[in-house]
Amino acid sequence: MRKIDRLVILTGAGISAESGLGTFRDEGGLWAQHRIEDVATPEAFARNPELVHRFYNARRVQSAAAEPNAAHHALARLQSEFPGEVFLVTQNVDGLHEKAGAEAIHMHGALSRALCATCDHRWEAPTEMQVGELCPACTAPTARPDIVWFGEIPYHMEHIIGALQTCDLFAAIGTSGQVYPAAGFVEEARMAGAATVELNLRDSDMSYAFDDHITGPASKTVPAWVDRLLA
Ligand code: APR
């Protein structure tokens, strides 16, 4: 196996599924219960902030009560024991990577943070956010969840692309590969000459682009994969 110094790992909702947090596009997933355009766009928030806060309040409560599973713990172990660099970027807005002791870049924001739509100030979100909440910095009544909605620009993209262009191995864990720019990360890594591996329950929309596939539940496949990397 070639020498690996720099890893980039992308996680999606599938890594948190076994912690009891619903995914988006699996059977009965979040997008089967709510229409994206009703709860996950800036227009939805302008039209019905009450409904949008209710959607994220429920997920914030659920996420706070959830525990990391063996996959989250394995990635934290990898980050602390791997001799090279482990750049962990997540599409998830739950805090389970952090609860397991890992450091993750949240490209779609985080349930734990609130954002002021007027002055861009960010602060620790209360478990239940209300409509018209005042920004602690500029006092405008324009607090919103610090979540990247459809039609908005994901966070930290320069940093992420920089890591993809210099990595030796790219792994995608528990993501359906249906939402860009994350779905395009594997191509970026391949162009940089990295090896690529997908860990998922089943094939995703980007499976064709990966060199290797490890099929099964993340709580089983990720610890075994990390053991091999640390051997
Ligand atoms: N172990 C491994 N993979 C799993 C497991 C599991 N236990 N359970 C489900 N999966 C896989 C599914 O096969 C699927 O490929 O996780 C993936 C979940 O896909 P999505 O629900 O589409 O979630 P994700 O890819 O993270 O969505 C990306 O879309 O809605 C937006 O912003 C939202 O960040 C989200 C983005």
Side-chain angles (χ1 to χ4, degrees):
M1 181 141 127
R2 61 184 281 189
K3 179 144 174 43
I4 294 168
D5 287 323
R6 303 167 69 85
L7 258 71
V8 172
I9 300 171
L10 168 70
T11 60
I15 198 169
S16 297
E18 292 165 89
S19 296
L21 297 184
T23 63
F24 293 95
R25 296 174 182 83
D26 289 319
E27 189 64 31
L30 282 170
W31 297 147
Q33 303 158 39
H34 305 273
R35 288 176 345 130
I36 287 175
E37 53 274 28
D38 290 344
V39 292
T41 66
E43 296 75 17
F45 189 64
R47 187 173 58 242
N48 189 342
E50 178 63 36
L51 172 66
V52 174
H53 274 311
R54 243 196 340 270
F55 176 67
Y56 287 99
N57 288 346
R59 293 180 64 199
R60 198 172 292 110
V61 167
Q62 207 198 18
S63 164
E67 287 306 318
N69 62 59
H72 297 103
H73 288 297
L75 292 187
R77 182 160 58 87
L78 183 65
Q79 260 186 345
S80 66
E81 293 175 18
F82 188 71
E85 188 188 312
V86 180
F87 184 95
L88 174 59
V89 51
T90 186
Q91 299 172 92
N92 300 340
V93 292
D94 64 54
L96 296 184
H97 283 305
E98 290 76 8
K99 270 189 185 173
E103 246 177 73
I105 301 277
H106 284 264
M107 64 182 287
H108 289 166
L111 286 167
S112 61
R113 262 198 323 257
L115 165 67
C116 174
T118 303
C119 75
D120 255 4
H121 177 63
R122 285 174 171 80
W123 67 98
E124 185 78 13
T127 303
E128 310 249 337
M129 289 188 78
Q130 313 300 332
V131 176
E133 196 148 326
L134 302 188
C135 167
C138 75
T139 74
T142 51
R144 56 167 275 187
D146 187 14
I147 300 287
V148 177
W149 284 325
F150 284 89
E152 296 185 321
I153 313 288
Y155 293 153
H156 311 295
M157 282 309 294
E158 264 182 51
H159 190 184
I160 295 166
I161 298 298
L164 288 166
Q165 287 172 340
T166 56
C167 73
D168 310 303
L169 175 62
F170 172 72
I173 303 172
T175 179
S176 62
Q178 294 188 37
V179 175
Y180 283 82
F185 288 178
V186 58
E187 297 294 359
E188 196 75 46
R190 285 165 67 95
M191 282 190 292
T196 57
V197 58
E198 180 177 56
L199 294 88
N200 199 311
L201 263 188
R202 61 181 75 85
D203 266 2
S204 75
D205 279 26
M206 294 307 288
S207 291
Y208 68 87
F210 286 86
D211 303 319
D212 287 317
H213 302 83
I214 302 174
T215 304
S219 65
K220 298 279 177 294
T221 59
V222 177
W225 178 66
V226 165
D227 287 345
R228 283 199 298 283
L229 284 171
L230 294 177

